[in-house]
Amino acid sequence: MKVINHIREVRQRKGITQIKLAEDLQVTRQTINAIEKNKYNPSLELSLKLAEYLDVPFTSLFYLDKSEENAE
Amino acid sequence: MKVINHIREVRQRKGITQIKLAEDLQVTRQTINAIEKNKYNPSLELSLKLAEYLDVPFTSLFYLDKSEENAE
DNA sequence: ATTATATGTAAATATATCTTTACATCTTGT
DNA sequence: ACAAGATGTAAAGATATATTTACATATAAT
């Protein structure tokens, strides 16, 4: 069961660059890029910071993909 | 800034053992124990599964400790 | 006291998350 | 065309998360 995130959409809607988001959250730009490109999931701590920073409900930013009920 | 979790309290309130929780979520009992004892944070995927399984709002189960604003 | 169940913990190992450095590509404006 | 800013990506290394096995302690019931 995979995790879906809507970071890119929310970030772009707010006119924020990956660079600014990374700097403000004290991670590297590559980390933001990798997460947006679904290379891996953010840690719980970073996830909470992202939702807070982007000012959206946590579960609208991250949720489980129910279509892959049986998948790895 | 650390992550606070209320897994133990919610789990006990529901009368669920670490063993059952671990089995139902397909992780080991040691993983549940370590998370409850704050050895480390759950992954984002496991965090989402925990909130769903325990049937509580995500941000009432996990949140950032604002009292450690400047701490590592 | 003994048994059963639940919880705590440790070491070794595997995989996931994140950083650093570096270079490539894309887009937009001039 | 050129430059500047934004994004994509890769390899090597560090730290975090999770498993496996094993043993210890706690608690409650009989």
Side-chain angles (χ1 to χ4, degrees):
Chain A
M1 192 154 36
K2 291 205 173 312
V3 177
I4 305 283
N5 83 68
H6 290 142
I7 295 170
R8 169 154 307 184
E9 306 151 55
V10 176
R11 176 179 62 76
Q12 287 181 336
R13 197 167 67 225
K14 305 218 167 197
I16 300 167
T17 66
Q18 288 182 350
I19 296 168
K20 175 159 177 50
L21 180 54
E23 282 172 351
D24 287 348
L25 295 185
Q26 312 221 68
V27 295
T28 64
R29 177 179 70 77
Q30 286 81 347
T31 293
I32 299 298
N33 188 274
I35 292 166
E36 287 190 354
K37 302 291 280 183
N38 290 296
K39 305 291 187 192
Y40 50 75
N41 294 321
S43 67
L44 176 56
E45 179 173 354
L46 181 51
S47 300
L48 287 165
K49 288 178 180 170
L50 280 161
E52 175 177 286
Y53 182 89
L54 293 173
D55 194 29
V56 290
F58 190 92
T59 49
S60 78
L61 194 55
F62 302 105
Y63 52 83
L64 292 167
D65 181 4
K66 293 319 183 68
S67 71
E68 302 204 13
E69 210 70 51
N70 314 337
E72 139 272 7
Chain B
M1 193 156 34
K2 291 206 174 309
V3 176
I4 305 283
N5 83 69
H6 289 143
I7 295 169
R8 167 154 308 185
E9 305 152 55
V10 176
R11 176 179 64 76
Q12 288 181 337
R13 197 167 67 225
K14 305 218 167 197
I16 300 167
T17 66
Q18 288 182 349
I19 297 167
K20 174 159 176 54
L21 180 54
E23 283 172 351
D24 287 348
L25 294 184
Q26 313 222 66
V27 295
T28 65
R29 178 179 70 78
Q30 285 80 345
T31 293
I32 299 298
N33 188 273
I35 292 165
E36 287 189 354
K37 302 292 280 184
N38 290 296
K39 304 293 186 190
Y40 49 75
N41 295 321
S43 67
L44 175 56
E45 179 174 353
L46 181 51
S47 301
L48 288 166
K49 288 178 181 171
L50 280 162
E52 175 177 286
Y53 182 90
L54 293 172
D55 195 30
V56 290
F58 190 91
T59 48
S60 79
L61 194 55
F62 302 105
Y63 52 83
L64 292 167
D65 182 4
K66 292 320 183 65
S67 73
E68 301 204 13
E69 209 70 52
N70 315 337
E72 139 273 1

